[in-house]
Amino acid sequence: MPSVFIKTYGCQMNERDSEAVAAQLVAKGYSLAPSEAIADVVLLNTCSVRDFAEQKAINKMKNLIGTARNERRSQVVGFMGCMAQSRGQELVDKLPDVDLVLGTQKFHRAAEYLDAILAGKREQIVDVAAEEKSEATIREHLLNGKSNKSVSAFVSIMQGCNQYCTFCIVPYTRGEERSRTIPDIVAECRELVAGGVKEITLLGQIVTSYGKRDYPLHDGKSGFVQLLEAVHEIAGLQRIRFTSPHPKGYGDDLVEAYARLPKLCESAHIPLQSGSDRILKLMHRGYTRERFLAIAKKLRAAKPNIGLTTDIIVGFPGETEEDFAETLSLCREVEFDNAYIFKYSERRDTPAAIMPDQLPQEIREERNHRLLETVNEIGKRKYDSFIGQQVQILVEGPSKKNAARFTGRTRCNRIVLFDGSERHRGELMDLKITRTGSFTLYGDPAIVNL
Ligand code: 5AD
């Protein structure tokens, strides 16, 4: 029985794809290796969003090949996911020892291809072709596969993106928007809940565009809101989240959904990218600073405790000091709980890569640093304001960093650590926040129960 190890780079969509591939391989008789060193097959599930992520996966592959050669060990190695899709054949031209390159619409063929390679029937396989209905193939889970019970699960609802932001490679790696059907998604969610899952996060590259073609507006509600309502009906499900949305998808129907659907957690990760209207236009984002501020205001009016996080790119081509100051001021105005900051990275074949005024690395670096300071300062203030408050968390399991502690999340998606035990897993629990760490809260159940 061959063993496989999958290493994942990048976003939650990639994590989910890796899980689905692992589940598929397990169903076909493969076992999951605890480490790459002893695996018969190693797959790198790659990310293309920034050059850095691509280089990391390429270097990892070189190391794997070198180690296997030194140890005179035969190991089947492959790339899958976004970089596999965007670079395809080029990867095996550069690294001829790579056995498999599997594109983003081909995850469901992993077992078939690996079987052929392991049996010596095929030497090397590169498959990055488009495949109709591939969006419906990411559905297998490794539920409770390990000794742990899964409390929280991710469900892929759509693939691709038609927004074509000028900096972004995703439309080229993930293709056009394709949505699964509502009954198909609900059936998957039901199965997960029957297996003990309490919280579901709906995933896609631009979830607010879910079902645009197949589910027209109904009572003023978008396809995405129709999906949220359908998932909300599932008995036993406690919490619903989603990622990633686009600001243009925050119409009143979605804002009202937060107020109307109690299982929909009051937390939103809304990618801002820039606070400057001029840059937003160059990025082809389709909203203004004012519109973004209005969304944040409406969400806070609907749910005053909503947790807001965002993604921001610094050093986009032509970004002036004034443009950057607009981003800083918008962050101060919105007061995000946290923001993921990215230094602009040229992606080939994207319009922004050939725009004039590409900025030197030092400026990108320096703005990254300044924005990080601002974001951290605001974040710390917001986290500190939790001290003394009572929150409800869903307990996920032992903390990865310190197994003596247990971890859960508040509805607004803040991580809370407390002294818990296995019996708390999957429970909704009230805690009082006693202190804060870096983007974590520490809670005590005893104080609540006094
Ligand atoms: N350079 C830097 N950051 C990028 N992102 C997407 N493309 C690029 C790029 N070319 C960031 C965006 C997006 C997040 C997932 O990655 O902020 O929201």
Side-chain angles (χ1 to χ4, degrees):
M1 193 162 66
S3 65
V4 59
F5 185 84
I6 305 179
K7 184 168 172 63
T8 309
Y9 297 84
C11 63
Q12 284 152 319
M13 277 68 90
N14 284 8
E15 294 285 349
R16 174 69 196 105
D17 295 338
S18 294
E19 188 203 11
V21 170
Q24 175 203 139
L25 292 173
V26 167
K28 291 276 160 61
Y30 288 70
S31 65
L32 299 180
S35 81
E36 63 198 35
I38 55 161
D40 300 311
V41 178
V42 179
L43 298 175
L44 303 183
N45 192 7
T46 55
C47 169
S48 279
V49 146
R50 285 166 298 144
D51 185 54
F52 181 64
E54 290 203 348
Q55 293 314 321
K56 263 205 311 205
I58 288 173
N59 288 337
K60 181 80 201 173
M61 183 60 83
K62 286 182 184 161
N63 283 340
L64 285 172
I65 293 167
T67 310
R69 197 179 290 150
N70 286 344
E71 294 175 0
R72 300 180 189 287
R73 199 157 41 88
S74 88
Q75 190 173 52
V76 169
V77 289
F79 285 115
M80 60 180 195
C82 287
M83 184 175 68
Q85 185 68 42
S86 69
R87 296 197 174 211
Q89 182 65 34
E90 182 196 323
L91 288 169
V92 287
D93 291 344
K94 208 160 145 184
L95 297 165
D97 291 327
V98 169
D99 302 286
L100 176 65
V101 176
L102 197 64
T104 52
Q105 305 199 22
K106 297 292 176 181
F107 292 120
H108 56 293
R109 318 229 17 195
E112 172 194 336
Y113 287 158
L114 287 175
D115 283 351
I117 292 167
L118 286 161
K121 290 187 191 138
R122 307 264 310 256
E123 211 156 273
Q124 190 173 56
I125 300 175
V126 177
D127 187 0
V128 295
E131 186 166 322
E132 226 167 275
K133 299 277 171 234
S134 62
E135 68 277 8
T137 60
I138 304 295
R139 54 165 186 253
E140 271 79 29
H141 291 261
L142 275 178
L143 199 54
N144 310 340
K146 300 164 209 140
S147 55
N148 310 340
K149 228 174 98 198
S150 296
V151 173
S152 186
F154 293 92
V155 170
S156 169
I157 63 168
M158 68 180 302
Q159 287 287 324
C161 182
N162 296 352
Q163 180 66 26
Y164 289 93
C165 298
T166 55
F167 53 80
C168 188
I169 201 170
V170 166
Y172 313 98
T173 60
R174 292 281 178 169
E176 293 274 297
E177 288 168 14
R178 290 111 51 216
S179 297
R180 296 172 67 189
T181 66
I182 292 180
D184 196 20
I185 296 166
V186 169
E188 181 178 330
C189 294
R190 272 192 207 288
E191 248 172 65
L192 289 167
V193 173
V197 164
K198 302 274 169 55
E199 174 182 86
I200 285 178
T201 304
L202 305 174
L203 289 181
Q205 279 82 35
I206 180 161
V207 289
T208 39
S209 294
Y210 170 82
K212 273 244 161 88
R213 251 193 330 209
D214 317 305
Y215 299 101
L217 274 187
H218 183 73
D219 281 345
K221 292 175 203 156
S222 65
F224 182 57
V225 172
Q226 293 171 43
L227 172 68
L228 288 176
E229 286 181 342
V231 173
H232 195 268
E233 292 283 300
I234 300 173
L237 177 63
Q238 306 269 10
R239 291 177 165 192
I240 304 172
R241 303 183 188 279
F242 57 81
T243 201
S244 287
H246 187 283
K248 72 177 185 180
Y250 279 83
D252 288 345
D253 60 331
L254 182 53
V255 175
E256 278 160 17
Y258 278 97
R260 206 157 40 82
L261 305 175
K263 294 179 186 175
L264 182 59
C265 289
E266 40 275 30
S267 125
H269 178 77
I270 318 180
L272 165 68
Q273 313 302 4
S274 170
S276 150
D277 283 343
R278 201 180 70 82
I279 297 296
L280 286 171
K281 199 159 187 185
L282 285 173
M283 287 177 162
H284 193 240
R285 289 294 288 170
Y287 54 87
T288 59
R289 172 192 178 87
E290 274 322 301
R291 169 89 185 111
F292 193 95
L293 280 168
I295 294 167
K297 207 165 149 190
K298 273 203 255 184
L299 284 170
R300 287 215 167 105
K303 288 277 170 187
N305 291 327
I306 194 164
L308 292 181
T309 55
T310 196
D311 290 342
I312 298 171
I313 296 178
V314 294
F316 185 82
E319 183 188 70
T320 62
E321 194 48 41
E322 288 73 40
D323 293 317
F324 178 63
E326 295 266 284
T327 299
L328 282 173
S329 77
L330 192 92
C331 286
R332 289 207 186 91
E333 220 167 309
V334 176
E335 298 199 303
F336 294 108
D337 296 275
N338 199 359
Y340 299 91
I341 305 168
F342 302 93
K343 286 173 277 183
Y344 171 71
S345 168
E346 292 84 349
R347 309 315 294 131
R348 64 175 169 181
D349 300 332
T350 59
I354 48 168
M355 282 182 184
D357 301 323
Q358 302 282 328
L359 299 184
Q361 288 301 333
E362 304 84 78
I363 294 190
R364 301 183 204 186
E365 207 54 77
E366 192 263 343
R367 289 184 186 162
N368 179 60
H369 182 73
R370 265 197 288 162
L371 184 55
L372 199 61
E373 277 190 343
T374 302
V375 162
N376 285 347
E377 178 201 309
I378 296 166
K380 174 145 184 26
R381 207 174 339 116
K382 297 209 83 176
Y383 271 73
D384 285 349
S385 71
F386 268 85
I387 295 174
Q389 280 194 36
Q390 188 174 323
V391 297
Q392 188 175 71
I393 64 163
L394 176 63
V395 182
E396 291 172 10
S399 155
K400 277 194 196 107
K401 284 190 203 139
N402 177 357
R405 284 226 164 81
F406 266 62
T407 176
R409 278 168 204 268
T410 64
R411 285 178 59 93
C412 56
N413 213 17
R414 289 178 181 88
I415 294 172
V416 185
L417 295 174
F418 68 105
D419 291 327
S421 68
E422 248 336 289
R423 74 189 159 86
H424 295 123
R425 190 195 289 268
E427 265 185 26
L428 288 170
M429 208 170 162
D430 293 318
L431 301 174
K432 189 155 234 165
I433 301 304
T434 52
R435 63 188 175 97
T436 63
S438 161
F439 294 103
T440 20
L441 302 172
Y442 291 85
D444 191 340
I447 307 182
V448 174
N449 298 331
L450 279 178

